[in-house]
Amino acid sequence: MTGPTGVGKTTCAGIVARACGASMCRIGIPNWLPLGAHNRGVKETTTIVAEHVARHERTLLVLDELDKAIDKEGDGSWKSYVRNELFDLLDGRWPAGLNLPEDENFTEISIEKLTEKLQRTVFILGIGTFQSWFDNEKSRRAIGFIDEGHTVTDEISAEYVAGSMARELANRFHSSLIRLPELCSSDYHRIAKEAEDKLPNHMQEAFREEVARRIGNAITCKKGVRFLEEALMAMLMNLPPEPLPPTPDFFQITLGKDLCRL
């Protein structure tokens, strides 16, 4: 699934998980910790996935920012380890070196049983913006990044996405691609009004003023719904502090039969 930032890719994944009666396990590729890369108190990512699969009847495994699983200058070999673990998961097996924790949650499940669950009860969804394809006019039209009033004439294909990832990795996904379109101007105004209506009455005017100051830039810079976070934070920071309730000059505390004044 692809689409510009702030259009609800992760939200859609959560809706799919609930509709399927599955528990969503969202893993960000940039934060992937390969097996063997021990860090104090931090679990390796594949172990986190295995624990989630073991605990839930069905799992929607969301691989977020999948387009970041490419080598760039300075990355070294880190992402090659990540991709190898992704290959294994997408092929329905656990990477070598996976050791389940020895605690009460895993006493009755073997690696064989866990592998069966991975193959039968886990759906893997890749999500990414694939920004490199949005940076020129042709690809912007293909993906749906167009100005209002235009129509989409070219549909993005798996070839576009595959060009931004290792071919081995891209080929392990289904060829169908879900494309979420960019928000248009009316979308920005609609979601801002919906957010305003959910706020307490004494906050609505201040929020409306922040939205009015920011919405033009948000539309121009394609910020998506994240501009609401900025408006909300600015509104909260600028609200006058509410007066504190009057503080008594002293408290009376009864200790047995004695009264102590503080």
Side-chain angles (χ1 to χ4, degrees):
M1 179 164 59
T2 187
T5 183
V7 298
K9 296 186 291 296
T10 304
T11 300
C12 286
I15 293 171
V16 170
R18 289 192 295 273
C20 297
S23 176
M24 186 172 80
C25 178
R26 176 175 171 266
I27 300 295
I29 297 299
N31 301 320
W32 194 287
L33 189 67
L35 291 171
H38 297 290
N39 197 2
R40 290 183 182 176
V42 179
K43 292 182 181 179
E44 298 136 324
T45 302
T46 301
T47 301
I48 294 174
V49 175
E51 291 180 0
H52 190 100
V53 172
R55 288 191 176 101
H56 297 90
E57 184 178 351
R58 295 180 180 178
T59 297
L60 175 64
L61 175 58
V62 177
L63 303 177
D64 203 1
E65 296 189 85
L66 188 63
D67 48 324
K68 303 298 192 298
I70 57 176
D71 284 320
K72 294 181 180 179
E73 187 176 353
D75 283 341
S77 60
W78 169 75
K79 288 185 179 175
S80 65
Y81 292 113
V82 174
R83 285 199 302 272
N84 286 337
E85 293 185 20
L86 290 175
F87 294 158
D88 285 332
L89 291 175
L90 289 163
D91 288 340
R93 60 176 180 265
W94 298 103
L98 174 66
N99 293 312
L100 295 179
E102 296 180 359
D103 60 37
E104 59 184 11
N105 295 312
F106 296 94
T107 54
E108 297 181 359
I109 189 167
S110 63
I111 192 68
E112 291 77 16
K113 179 64 176 178
L114 197 61
T115 299
E116 182 180 352
K117 288 196 71 175
L118 176 64
Q119 296 171 352
R120 294 177 178 270
T121 69
V122 178
F123 183 84
I124 301 178
L125 174 65
I127 295 179
T129 302
F130 298 95
Q131 189 66 45
S132 61
W133 287 103
F134 302 161
D135 291 338
N136 63 72
E137 183 178 353
K138 179 180 177 181
S139 61
R140 285 173 63 84
R141 288 178 57 79
I143 196 75
F145 277 32
I146 55 176
D147 296 327
E148 289 188 81
H150 291 75
T151 57
V152 178
T153 57
D154 301 310
E155 286 291 334
I156 187 172
S157 69
E159 289 298 316
Y160 286 121
V161 173
S164 295
M165 294 192 298
R167 176 67 66 174
E168 277 186 280
L169 181 57
N171 285 347
R172 280 171 164 79
F173 285 93
H174 195 278
S175 58
S176 296
L177 186 70
I178 301 168
R179 175 177 58 85
L180 300 186
E182 188 176 55
L183 300 181
C184 64
S185 176
S186 60
D187 293 324
Y188 281 88
H189 288 279
R190 174 178 53 80
I191 60 178
K193 184 63 170 64
E194 291 175 355
E196 178 188 328
D197 291 341
K198 290 181 171 65
L199 291 174
N201 292 335
H202 70 281
M203 293 183 177
Q204 291 185 359
E205 183 177 355
F207 177 72
R208 189 160 52 245
E209 291 174 356
E210 286 295 338
V211 166
R213 279 194 287 268
R214 297 168 182 274
I215 196 166
N217 179 68
I219 295 171
T220 300
C221 297
K222 318 294 185 185
K223 287 200 170 187
V225 296
R226 289 198 168 95
F227 96 96
L228 290 180
E229 299 173 3
E230 297 179 359
L232 282 167
M233 181 60 69
M235 179 268 294
L236 292 172
M237 293 294 290
N238 294 327
L239 280 178
E242 294 186 4
L244 295 174
T247 303
D249 294 335
F250 61 88
F251 297 96
Q252 289 186 334
I253 302 177
T254 303
L255 297 176
K257 296 180 180 180
D258 299 323
L259 284 178
C260 298
R261 291 189 174 186
L262 303 178

